Amino acid sequence: MGGNIKYTGLKLRITFRNIFLIGMICMSSCAEEEEEELPTRVTTVEVISEEVRFTQQYPATVIALEEIDLRADVVGYVTGVHVKEGQKVKKGQLMYTIDQTRYEARREQAASSLSIAEANFERIKRDVQRYEALMAEDAIAIQIYDDAVTALRTAEQEVRSARSNLENALIDLRYASIHAPLDGTVGFSQVRQGSLVSPGETLLNTISKDDPIGVDFYPEERYLRKFIQLQESPTAERDSIFLLRLPDGEMYPYGGQIDIIDRAVDRNTGTIQIRLRFDNPDNLLRPGLSANLTVKDDLPEEVLTIPQAAVIEQMGEFSVFIVEDNKAKGVKVNTGRNIRDRTVILEGLEEGQQVIVKGVQRISDGDPVNAEKTKLR
């Protein structure tokens, strides 16, 4: 009998323990099921359609539309520097003079030679006229007349040669004075008074036109058609299509327009050079200056947009969560450009749908959600 009582007690203890464990498991299971069924709180924003004027940013460089290197055309020593470095000059203004002594002497010599040649020509011409009268009376040998005509032709050639020598001497004398070829600003002088210069080799200075001025940038070849249309369009808004931001962060007060589109695309970079023209009355733009160019589309475009916070990127693909039947639904989207804090949606969504912007990290596809709509843009 004693053995039976022990057996019964052991059996009862095992039974109570099993019942306790089973109860705990049931309670845990029920709690998990209840937790999974609770919807996640999220915030949604409506997909909207709006007019957007797209912009593109390019690094740009200011260049002079007209720039000329001033070089000496004659040999000699600089005898005068008549402009200050960085000075604005007018076309025709005297800038440098080169020693003119030798060129004055050559001019006088050439002028004297021309006078002698012209006098000789006139003398021989009179002889020929006199010989012609004698020939009519058969009073002179024909050989004398022929020699006189030949001499006249020679004298005429000598006059032409002397006149050319005088013109060359005058050119050299004129080239000994260097004048500004255009209105603009000169740079640092490369010579000083007393410097020896050589024709075609010695750089004296560089002068560039200030207003208007050019800006070069290099868009990708896929945008070529757009810029050709902008160049040809008579209605392009000059002051709002091409805008410059200066290195100090300030916006340049004048808009630009297309001046030149290069004839060919660079094979190595796939870009094409485009030159813009900007008014520069205040001389704020200088050749070589770096700037940031903003190019706006000439007309606004109707597009779908959502907040950037709603877009999820994974392995180069983009998706969003929308709310459908009180559940989160993942949708792949094709995105466009970012505009401020919003993203353009090209494919995947429709106007009026609700996209989740807050609580995205706590949900998965198909999870029940408790959505709170907001007008957050």
Side-chain angles (χ1 to χ4, degrees):
M1 179 179 292
N4 290 338
I5 291 174
K6 289 182 180 179
Y7 177 79
T8 302
L10 178 60
K11 186 174 182 179
L12 288 173
R13 286 197 299 272
I14 294 174
T15 301
F16 290 148
R17 182 179 182 183
N18 291 344
I19 292 172
F20 176 76
L21 291 175
I22 291 171
M24 292 296 291
I25 292 172
C26 289
M27 290 177 62
S28 176
S29 177
C30 291
E32 289 179 1
E33 290 179 1
E34 184 178 354
E35 184 178 352
E36 289 177 358
E37 291 176 356
L38 289 176
T40 304
R41 283 193 169 189
V42 296
T43 302
T44 64
V45 170
E46 183 179 353
V47 179
I48 64 171
S49 176
E50 59 179 324
E51 282 192 347
V52 174
R53 195 171 184 181
F54 292 111
T55 62
Q56 294 171 295
Q57 306 291 326
Y58 298 97
T61 303
V62 178
I63 58 98
L65 292 176
E66 292 185 60
E67 185 174 85
I68 298 176
D69 288 339
L70 300 178
R71 297 182 184 274
D73 285 314
V74 293
V75 65
Y77 292 96
V78 176
T79 56
V81 178
H82 307 286
V83 293
K84 296 180 180 179
E85 296 171 326
Q87 176 183 337
K88 287 183 177 295
V89 297
K90 294 292 185 180
K91 183 177 181 179
Q93 182 176 336
L94 180 63
M95 297 181 64
Y96 295 92
T97 51
I98 299 172
D99 184 14
Q100 299 179 355
T101 306
R102 69 179 70 186
Y103 303 111
E104 284 282 4
R106 289 180 185 176
R107 182 191 64 78
E108 292 178 2
Q109 182 180 5
S112 177
S113 297
L114 177 60
S115 296
I116 293 173
E118 288 175 339
N120 187 50
F121 172 79
E122 291 297 327
R123 179 184 61 78
I124 297 175
K125 183 179 180 180
R126 289 193 296 271
D127 289 344
V128 170
Q129 291 172 346
R130 187 171 64 254
Y131 293 158
E132 285 177 346
L134 294 174
M135 283 285 294
E137 298 175 0
D138 199 20
I140 190 174
I142 191 171
Q143 183 64 44
I144 295 175
Y145 175 75
D146 289 343
D147 290 345
V149 170
T150 301
L152 180 63
R153 292 173 180 171
T154 301
E156 185 178 10
Q157 293 296 328
E158 289 176 348
V159 169
R160 291 177 181 173
S161 178
R163 186 173 290 121
S164 295
N165 289 337
L166 177 59
E167 289 176 358
N168 288 333
L170 289 173
I171 290 173
D172 286 344
L173 181 60
R174 187 165 63 249
Y175 283 167
S177 299
I178 293 90
H179 298 80
L182 50 83
D183 293 349
T185 303
V186 298
F188 288 99
S189 180
Q190 303 301 305
V191 296
R192 295 289 182 265
Q193 190 163 334
S195 299
L196 178 63
V197 298
S198 301
E201 296 181 5
T202 306
L203 176 65
L204 305 178
N205 209 320
T206 299
I207 180 172
S208 59
K209 191 171 184 178
D210 302 318
D211 187 20
I213 203 162
V215 172
D216 283 357
F217 70 106
Y218 298 83
E220 297 176 12
E221 57 188 346
R222 60 188 171 128
Y223 297 119
L224 177 58
R225 183 188 299 273
K226 167 186 173 179
F227 289 111
I228 291 176
Q229 291 173 347
L230 284 174
Q231 184 183 37
E232 296 175 349
S233 173
T235 59
E237 301 173 22
R238 170 178 175 169
D239 293 332
S240 59
I241 299 294
F242 300 99
L243 303 175
L244 274 183
R245 186 177 296 278
L246 302 177
D248 60 3
E250 294 293 326
M251 293 301 298
Y252 186 65
Y254 304 98
Q257 59 183 177
I258 295 177
D259 188 41
I260 301 171
I261 297 178
D262 199 3
R263 63 170 188 84
V265 174
D266 190 313
R267 296 180 181 178
N268 296 322
T269 63
T271 61
I272 187 165
Q273 181 179 0
I274 297 180
R275 179 163 297 167
L276 305 176
R277 178 187 294 263
F278 282 81
D279 290 335
N280 190 33
D282 304 320
N283 204 25
L284 291 177
L285 300 181
R286 303 290 183 98
L289 183 75
S290 296
N292 185 28
L293 176 69
T294 297
V295 181
K296 292 185 177 181
D297 282 352
D298 55 343
L299 293 174
E301 184 178 343
E302 191 81 17
V303 293
L304 297 178
T305 66
I306 62 173
Q308 293 182 26
V311 181
I312 305 167
E313 181 183 3
Q314 288 183 340
M315 304 296 290
E317 294 186 346
F318 298 91
S319 62
V320 299
F321 281 112
I322 64 172
V323 177
E324 193 173 274
D325 298 330
N326 294 322
K327 291 184 178 181
K329 180 181 178 181
V331 177
K332 288 187 178 180
V333 292
N334 184 10
T335 61
R337 305 180 197 174
N338 291 329
I339 305 169
R340 302 178 300 277
D341 60 343
R342 301 184 68 82
T343 297
V344 174
I345 300 298
L346 304 178
E347 294 178 342
L349 294 177
E350 297 179 359
E351 185 178 2
Q353 288 181 308
Q354 294 289 327
V355 294
I356 298 175
V357 292
K358 291 184 179 179
V360 175
Q361 297 82 1
R362 303 195 305 270
I363 58 175
S364 300
D365 190 37
D367 286 354
V369 294
N370 181 8
E372 178 184 354
K373 297 181 181 180
T374 179
K375 293 185 180 295
L376 178 67
R377 289 179 54 83

